[in-house]
Amino acid sequence: MLTALSIRDVVLIEALDLEFGHGLGVLTGETGAGKSILLDALGLALGARSDSGLVRQGAAQAVVTASFEPGAHGGIAALMAENGLDFDAAEPVIVRRLVKKDGGSRAFVNDQPVSAGLLRELGAFLVEIHGQHDDRGLLNPRGHRALLDAFARADTGAVAAAHRGWREAVDALAAARAAQAEAERDREWLEHAVAELRALAPEPGEEERLAERRAAMQRGEKVAGELQAVAELLDGSDGGLARLRQAARILDRIAEAHPALADALAAVDRAIDEAGQAQDGVDRAAEALAFDPAALEADEARLFELRGLARKHRVQPDDLAALTEELAERLERVEGGEASIARLEQAVAAARRDYAAAAEALSALRGEAAARLDQAVAAELAPLKLDAARFRTVVQELGEEGWGAAGRDRVEFEISTNPGAPFAPLMKIASGGELSRFILAMKVALAEEGGARTMIFDEIDRGVGGAVASAIGDRLARLAARTQVLVVTHSPQVAARGARHLLIAKSHDGIVTRTGVHALDPGERREEIARMLSGAEITDEARAQAERLLEPA
């Protein structure tokens, strides 16, 4: 709801501060007093295109500030959150627009700089302005579906959830098909790679074991001759051990001949023992370093294959076993991919059925609500001197390419202004006065479901009077019981229904012309309505008629 409007240096307005309340507020004044300036200033604050011509002559800039009570409006909260703006439903939303003399402009929301585009988006949630050339609100077919859903009190959450589930299933299927196509391109390579790796059957740590064994056999090959020579020198028929044993036998027979011989025998025995240990060491080494040329060749070939395959796949030889399993799993997925895709196709079909069922139920609800809305609008047309017109709500099922989170229907409001005339979009066939009255009829019928919290009607009563003007005033008052309504009017019947009356007047001090706005008290209000009834000269009869109009209905 609009609570305050501050205007500085806009055309003929030097400084103006206005406060607004609930219910129906009326703005009146003589032609040329500046009512359009007031609406232009508010439009500027709501993101309308800036124009240096709005800056009052002699001023450097024009500034308009509007304060709103947003209430718990989900659209406002979401928009401000998306753009990093703080929002508290209990706090006012203050929009401000500054236009410089050179045409440059700046926009602010709660003193935070924003773009004019964001200001327009926010303004659409805050205020609806219906005038002679308005192309927003009810005239925009893009909003008709949401208005019908609000009128029907339809919960579109189930359809949105079903649509989301369907899209997720479709996306999963598309991803699986893409992966399958890519995998199919690799199938031949995978089959060859897996067969080659499985034929080799690499094991973790195998390369190290083969390398160590090959190195040992290569060392043995180098020292084999020397080891054989040592063995023959130690343990051959004419070797050292044989000669030591012969010497020991001889010394054993003659050891009693002299004590030194016993010592010599003991030394020879020790030498035999040491030589035996040396022989055992040589034998162990020979056994460890023994090599089979065929085994060495086989190990070398195996090692070459392991390292070659590792280079081919750009991994370490120890990772070949894990790579075998990984590629085998990929091949398995390729071979089992068609089954997986078939399951996903079934899931897509099931999700589509769920969406179609939810959308069909929503379409049926929309169809019922459309019939009720048509009746409700028709009941409002005759009192507004639109009894020859017809209104209808078109609910048309779209092709599958047009199905979405809000269902599968296109919704548009259409009218026929004369008997036998074809139906067409509202803004294409209604004149200015008819257009405003059609909008009022629809707003009343829709009970302001889904609209902004502040509505402004600019000269909705143009070209009508008497009973029609009274009907307009009555409907504006009914609408104002649910939301804030401001109306610029030349009709005393409409002005009399207001809960608050603002007079727009122009003054001239001989040098400067200014536009001002004055809140009228009951007496001043009666005088203004009497002026609207009688013209420049206010008669007692006009005052009496004004009193009758101001009497509670």
Side-chain angles (χ1 to χ4, degrees):
M1 183 184 78
L2 176 64
T3 58
L5 180 65
S6 174
I7 304 172
R8 295 291 183 273
D9 296 319
V10 174
V11 192
L12 299 178
I13 300 175
E14 184 174 1
L16 184 62
D17 294 293
L18 298 174
E19 293 184 355
F20 299 89
H22 294 273
L24 176 61
V26 297
L27 295 89
T28 65
E30 295 181 356
T31 301
K35 297 185 291 294
S36 62
I37 298 175
L38 200 64
L39 294 184
D40 287 344
L42 178 58
L44 188 66
L46 296 172
R49 185 174 180 178
S50 63
D51 184 350
S52 61
L54 291 172
V55 180
R56 187 175 64 85
Q57 187 174 3
Q61 61 183 26
V63 182
V64 183
T65 305
S67 179
F68 295 87
E69 289 179 0
H73 195 301
I76 295 174
L79 180 64
M80 293 186 69
E82 287 171 9
N83 289 277
L85 300 171
D86 295 333
F87 177 77
D88 183 342
E91 295 294 327
V93 171
I94 300 173
V95 297
R96 180 161 55 95
R97 189 78 176 279
L98 180 152
V99 180
K100 296 181 181 180
K101 191 66 177 177
D102 61 8
S105 74
R106 298 179 65 190
F108 302 85
V109 174
N110 292 344
D111 285 330
Q112 294 178 265
V114 298
S115 67
L118 175 58
L119 208 55
R120 280 192 294 274
E121 287 186 68
L122 182 60
F125 287 120
L126 295 169
V127 177
E128 286 184 19
I129 301 178
H130 298 290
Q132 298 293 305
H133 306 290
D134 182 47
D135 62 351
R136 299 173 296 169
L138 289 174
L139 302 188
N140 189 342
R142 286 181 297 180
H144 291 177
R145 184 169 59 191
L147 287 168
L148 180 62
D149 287 344
F151 178 78
R153 300 191 183 280
D155 181 4
T156 59
V159 173
H163 182 264
R164 185 167 56 253
W166 180 26
R167 295 315 310 166
E168 288 173 353
V170 168
D171 291 345
L173 175 59
R177 282 176 171 163
Q180 181 69 11
E182 183 179 352
E184 284 291 346
R185 290 194 293 271
D186 295 338
R187 179 195 283 268
E188 185 176 345
W189 178 82
L190 282 170
E191 289 174 341
H192 171 75
V194 170
E196 185 178 41
L197 284 163
R198 282 179 171 168
L200 185 63
E203 298 175 359
E206 184 179 8
E207 184 211 20
E208 185 178 355
R209 293 194 300 272
L210 285 171
E212 289 177 354
R213 194 164 66 192
R214 182 188 68 167
M217 286 193 289
Q218 286 174 335
R219 289 193 299 272
E221 184 180 23
K222 290 180 181 178
V223 300
E226 285 82 353
L227 286 175
Q228 181 62 34
V230 171
E232 288 178 0
L233 287 172
L234 287 174
D235 199 30
S237 57
D238 198 28
L241 273 173
R243 290 176 179 275
L244 285 171
R245 291 188 184 104
Q246 288 176 3
R249 285 194 294 273
I250 294 171
L251 287 171
D252 185 53
R253 289 196 299 271
I254 64 174
E256 294 178 356
H258 191 280
L261 292 175
D263 292 339
L265 177 60
V268 170
D269 285 339
R270 287 195 299 275
I272 291 171
D273 185 55
E274 292 292 336
Q277 290 180 27
Q279 179 62 49
D280 289 342
V282 170
D283 290 341
R284 287 195 303 274
E287 184 179 353
L289 295 173
F291 75 97
D292 177 356
L296 176 59
E297 185 178 349
D299 281 358
E300 286 183 330
R302 175 75 175 177
L303 195 58
F304 178 81
E305 286 183 296
L306 282 173
R307 289 175 174 172
L309 206 53
R311 284 194 300 272
K312 179 179 179 179
H313 291 286
R314 297 181 181 179
V315 297
Q316 294 299 317
D318 278 352
D319 296 331
L320 286 173
L323 179 64
T324 304
E325 295 305 315
E326 179 186 337
L327 296 183
E329 288 175 6
R330 282 178 58 185
L331 183 59
E332 240 178 77
R333 286 197 296 273
V334 173
E335 293 168 346
E338 291 300 330
S340 175
I341 287 174
R343 288 193 297 273
L344 288 171
E345 287 173 340
Q346 292 173 355
V348 168
R352 184 189 180 281
R353 287 193 298 272
D354 291 343
Y355 171 80
E360 184 178 0
L362 180 57
S363 296
L365 186 61
R366 283 171 174 162
E368 296 170 1
R372 288 189 285 109
L373 178 59
D374 292 351
Q375 291 177 353
V377 174
E380 299 294 333
L381 295 179
L384 296 173
K385 205 177 179 180
L386 295 169
D387 45 308
R390 292 174 298 153
F391 171 88
R392 73 177 183 186
T393 304
V394 177
V395 180
Q396 179 184 22
E397 183 177 338
L398 299 169
E400 188 165 327
E401 67 281 358
W403 294 5
R408 61 185 188 183
D409 306 311
R410 180 185 72 86
V411 176
E412 185 168 0
F413 301 145
E414 294 182 343
I415 62 166
S416 168
T417 54
N418 297 298
F423 281 91
L426 187 61
M427 66 185 300
K428 290 187 177 180
I429 62 174
S431 65
E434 288 177 326
L435 189 59
S436 294
R437 281 179 280 145
F438 262 114
I439 289 172
L440 178 59
M442 293 163 65
K443 280 294 182 183
V444 172
L446 286 165
E448 184 45 23
E449 294 286 356
R453 299 193 69 201
T454 297
M455 296 178 57
I456 298 175
F457 289 90
D458 184 12
E459 299 187 3
I460 191 173
D461 48 19
R462 175 174 293 196
V464 300
V468 177
S470 294
I472 291 175
D474 177 62
R475 279 150 181 80
L476 287 170
R478 284 163 50 192
L479 192 57
R482 293 182 291 270
T483 188
Q484 183 188 46
V485 177
L486 302 176
V487 58
V488 176
T489 181
H490 289 287
S491 168
Q493 292 91 341
V494 173
R497 298 305 305 272
R500 181 179 174 83
H501 193 147
L502 300 175
L503 176 64
I504 303 172
K506 189 184 294 183
S507 63
H508 185 69
D509 61 5
I511 299 175
V512 178
T513 300
R514 295 181 177 87
T515 289
V517 180
H518 173 60
L520 302 182
D521 62 27
E524 292 170 328
R525 187 179 181 197
R526 184 193 63 177
E527 287 295 298
E528 170 61 9
I529 293 174
R531 181 199 63 77
M532 296 171 73
L533 285 165
S534 64
E537 184 178 347
I538 303 175
T539 64
D540 290 339
E541 182 181 351
R543 290 188 178 94
Q545 189 175 351
E547 286 284 2
R548 288 193 294 273
L549 288 176
L550 288 167
E551 289 176 359

